[in-house]
Amino acid sequence: MILAAPRVRFAPSPTGYLHVGGGRTALFNWLFARKTGGTLVLRIEDTDAERSTETHTQVILDGLRWLGLSWDEGPIFQGAEVERHRRDAERLLAEGRAYRCFCTREELEAQRKAAGGDTYKYDGRCDRLPGAEVEARMARGMPSVLRFRMPQEDIAWEDAVHGRISFHGRDLDDMVILRSDRTPIYNMAVVSDDIAMRITHVIRGDDHISNTPKQIALYQALGASMPVFAHVPMILGTDGKKLSKRHGDTAVADYQDRGIVPAAMRNFLALMGWSPGEDREIMTEAEMISLFSLEAIQKKPAVFDTVKLEWMNGQYLSGMPTPELVAPVVRELERMQVHFGGPHLLPPYIEAVKSRSRTLLEMAHRVAVRLDSRYVEIDDKGRKLRAKMGDGYVASLKVAIETLRAIEEGDWNGETIFEKLKARAEGGGMKLGDLLQPIRVALTGSTVSEPVNELLAVVGKSSAMARLTRAAERSW
RNA sequence: GGCCCCAUCGUCUAACGGUCAGGACACCACUCUUUCACAGUGGUAAUACGGGUUCGAUUCCCGUUGGGGUCACCA
């Protein structure tokens, strides 16, 4: 028997940006497709004409591309398929699986109120209308929707991540499948499309669990075979609530702006609700693909921890070849309006700071500090050191200025600087650290940098001297 | 509220009946480093609770509690 290659889809609606949950769902679909040699279809669910925009579609496509996710078919726009959705819905009507409902929104609201609120389901009154009455109302031009008659039986499936999940038809509504303007409702469109696209595995967020029995009923009524469903856990904010604007950044693009690199974002997202086992965390794309499986997906929701994301990003940054970092750093420097005299001058600066930076923003800022003293600001660590050393701080700076001034411009390199400073410290009976740390603070405002001699070399003599003098005067 | 899902350190997670409950982030201490970071070593920290089943439960079953999702002519 020939097993057909899996076909999966990622189906965002273009009513907003690509948020991290959506990115993660897309990533899981992509990993599954690549792992199994299957096909990933991108489908834009734009049937809500009110809220869907072309801009959002573009933003979502950009987000997917940024994450490095490619699709094999599409983007297919659901809006282009409404004829088929309508045909399928009307076939259900013709075969007696759906019925026409003439109730207006106001009537439905009144029914809901009369029934006492929350648990109201449509009572099926229009399903009991005699055929002649339906004909008469149609003839009069009364607007109507199509409702699906929900089978009153157990509806269950074997979920690839949760195991067996079951609902009962009595808890489900006779849902509308075709609006009065003859456009399809979400569940109808999705099932019609997934059948037409021969989707074999539906991998989507947990929030769709309650849609699944409704969709299964449609598959059955349409006589189509069911795909495998895999419901992946939600991503929550640090307060345990569904990730939303309240939590700050929720869009994939927000992390791009914060200087996260795609490989780190992708790796981190993969670990939200999935684990390859064996304590593996940092993985190449190829490793992720070969280790991926639906069975290893977590059932419980995951809290999005940006601190760990930034740590992971730092790991990626340290491991990236400097030439690859030039373009992103240039982009940030331009945004900061720093004059850096050409990309070819950047590598030594990037080399100096890359293992100490967690984001591209941080990296660019550190580079800017080395290029231009206007970006130097003393931070808490710097202030603390200054306070701790007291008068010794300025005294050290003066010794440093005197020592460094004596070095010829032509000898201004890491080795010579180191030798001179070391000799001066030893000769003056001071601890080398007490001489060096104030230099670091004067030059960068912080106690964190590459070795001080290298820092001095990279900043250059004239700027270094100016910074030291200024720091001695204003005593930081 | 009805229905559904879920429950291991603060967070991400490992364990698929027998482990001193492991790893990572964060935090603390130490080591390395002339100084910073990286790195390394060590430490604090978890099986929500109550019943079963079993020689033995993080693991299987039931209940409680807690959390989440969803209940439109939105998707």
Side-chain angles (χ1 to χ4, degrees):
Chain A
M1 148 176 177
I2 300 163
L3 269 172
R7 291 175 58 82
V8 296
R9 74 330 189 256
F10 176 58
S13 63
T15 54
Y17 45 82
L18 178 67
H19 60 91
V20 295
R24 200 274 317 260
T25 300
L27 174 62
F28 281 6
N29 274 285
W30 179 82
L31 286 169
F32 182 73
R34 293 295 168 267
K35 162 84 178 193
T36 59
T39 302
L40 174 60
V41 184
L42 177 62
R43 183 171 75 216
I44 305 296
E45 310 215 315
D46 57 349
T47 57
D48 182 356
E50 299 273 305
R51 296 192 298 150
S52 299
T53 70
E54 217 166 284
T55 311
H56 284 140
T57 302
Q58 270 318 312
V59 167
I60 290 169
L61 296 190
D62 288 346
L64 293 173
R65 289 197 195 100
W66 181 76
L67 277 174
L69 307 184
S70 53
W71 50 94
D72 308 299
E73 291 179 21
I76 291 167
F77 291 85
Q78 195 164 50
E81 309 294 331
V82 297
E83 276 306 331
R84 172 166 39 68
H85 305 149
R86 194 174 291 152
R87 265 201 319 276
D88 284 341
E90 282 171 349
R91 198 180 107 209
L92 258 15
L93 174 70
E95 292 173 359
R97 307 299 302 261
Y99 58 90
R100 226 171 255 292
C101 172
F102 298 90
C103 296
T104 64
R105 287 167 187 276
E106 293 71 33
E107 285 169 338
L108 290 170
E109 193 46 47
Q111 290 166 29
R112 183 165 289 122
K113 233 176 224 164
D118 286 340
T119 57
Y120 175 79
K121 289 191 309 153
Y122 184 64
D123 62 10
R125 64 181 66 185
C126 286
D127 195 14
R128 294 185 291 272
L129 252 28
E133 174 63 18
V134 172
E135 292 302 320
R137 291 187 183 191
M138 290 290 287
R140 258 184 285 146
M142 263 181 89
S144 64
V145 302
L146 254 39
R147 279 186 190 275
F148 178 71
R149 192 179 304 109
M150 194 58 68
Q152 298 301 293
E153 59 192 31
D154 278 317
I155 305 176
W157 74 96
E158 196 63 36
D159 195 278
V161 343
H162 290 272
R164 187 186 156 86
I165 299 180
S166 79
F167 286 76
H168 197 281
R170 81 172 82 85
D171 298 316
L172 273 19
D173 213 352
D174 279 0
M175 61 185 169
V176 173
I177 53 176
L178 205 63
R179 300 188 183 97
S180 50
D181 66 0
R182 302 186 14 106
T183 59
I185 237 54
Y186 172 74
N187 281 311
M188 184 70 237
V190 167
V191 171
S192 179
D193 283 346
D194 284 340
I195 293 171
M197 293 173 181
R198 306 185 326 279
I199 297 302
T200 59
H201 295 71
V202 173
I203 304 168
R204 65 196 350 174
D206 254 357
D207 48 344
H208 284 288
I209 286 181
S210 55
N211 277 323
T212 305
K214 302 175 191 174
Q215 295 181 6
I216 287 174
L218 288 175
Y219 273 97
Q220 292 171 338
L222 255 7
S225 62
M226 252 166 55
V228 171
F229 290 98
H231 288 97
V232 307
M234 304 272 84
I235 296 180
L236 274 24
T238 42
D239 56 356
K241 304 281 185 207
K242 193 173 174 175
L243 207 56
S244 73
K245 275 293 178 197
R246 290 199 325 281
H247 300 99
D249 296 339
T250 58
V252 169
D254 292 331
Y255 292 92
Q256 182 177 1
D257 292 344
R258 279 167 70 158
I260 302 296
V261 295
M265 189 68 183
R266 190 171 54 211
N267 195 153
F268 186 72
L269 246 22
L271 263 16
M272 291 271 93
W274 173 69
S275 160
E278 293 178 358
D279 300 332
R280 297 297 303 276
E281 289 204 315
I282 306 270
M283 288 169 283
T284 64
E285 186 179 305
E287 288 170 328
M288 271 192 271
I289 291 170
S290 82
L291 262 15
F292 188 77
S293 80
L294 294 179
E295 292 68 37
I297 292 176
Q298 196 82 14
K299 294 190 181 92
K300 68 162 180 173
V303 173
F304 195 73
D305 178 8
T306 55
V307 175
K308 188 161 180 177
L309 202 213
E310 292 194 351
W311 164 78
M312 188 170 280
N313 199 58
Q315 296 288 306
Y316 272 89
L317 289 179
S318 319
M320 279 169 76
T322 297
E324 262 180 55
L325 259 6
V326 172
V329 169
V330 163
R331 221 172 4 255
E332 293 304 332
L333 290 177
E334 281 172 349
R335 197 182 303 182
M336 293 164 72
Q337 299 185 308
V338 177
H339 298 289
F340 55 92
H344 61 287
L345 299 173
L346 259 17
Y349 295 92
I350 294 175
E351 199 62 46
V353 304
K354 76 173 181 183
S355 73
R356 266 164 282 269
S357 307
R358 294 199 151 197
T359 67
L360 291 171
L361 249 50
E362 199 183 320
M363 190 182 288
H365 185 259
R366 286 180 191 278
V367 168
V369 163
R370 280 153 185 76
L371 284 162
D372 186 337
S373 62
R374 282 178 303 175
Y375 290 92
V376 179
E377 276 175 50
I378 191 159
D379 66 10
D380 288 345
K381 285 181 179 173
R383 260 186 222 102
K384 222 167 141 186
L385 180 90
R386 158 90 190 74
K388 200 174 116 191
M389 288 184 71
D391 294 340
Y393 181 83
V394 172
S396 285
L397 281 179
K398 288 188 172 152
V399 171
I401 291 169
E402 186 189 309
T403 310
L404 294 167
R405 189 181 287 138
I407 301 176
E408 295 292 327
E409 195 79 49
D411 292 331
W412 191 264
N413 57 63
E415 258 173 52
T416 309
I417 293 169
F418 175 63
E419 282 168 18
K420 300 284 184 195
L421 288 172
K422 192 178 177 195
R424 180 63 184 81
E426 282 169 358
M430 57 192 297
K431 276 166 66 185
L432 193 49
D434 287 341
L435 179 57
L436 298 187
Q437 205 57 333
I439 299 177
R440 195 192 316 271
V441 174
L443 262 59
T444 68
S446 177
T447 58
V448 177
S449 86
E450 64 273 43
V452 168
N453 53 319
E454 290 170 26
L455 172 67
L456 284 160
V458 115
V459 167
K461 183 171 178 183
S462 68
S463 180
M465 295 314 292
R467 294 183 198 203
L468 289 165
T469 307
R470 199 170 66 142
E473 281 164 5
R474 66 154 97 146
S475 79
W476 72 260

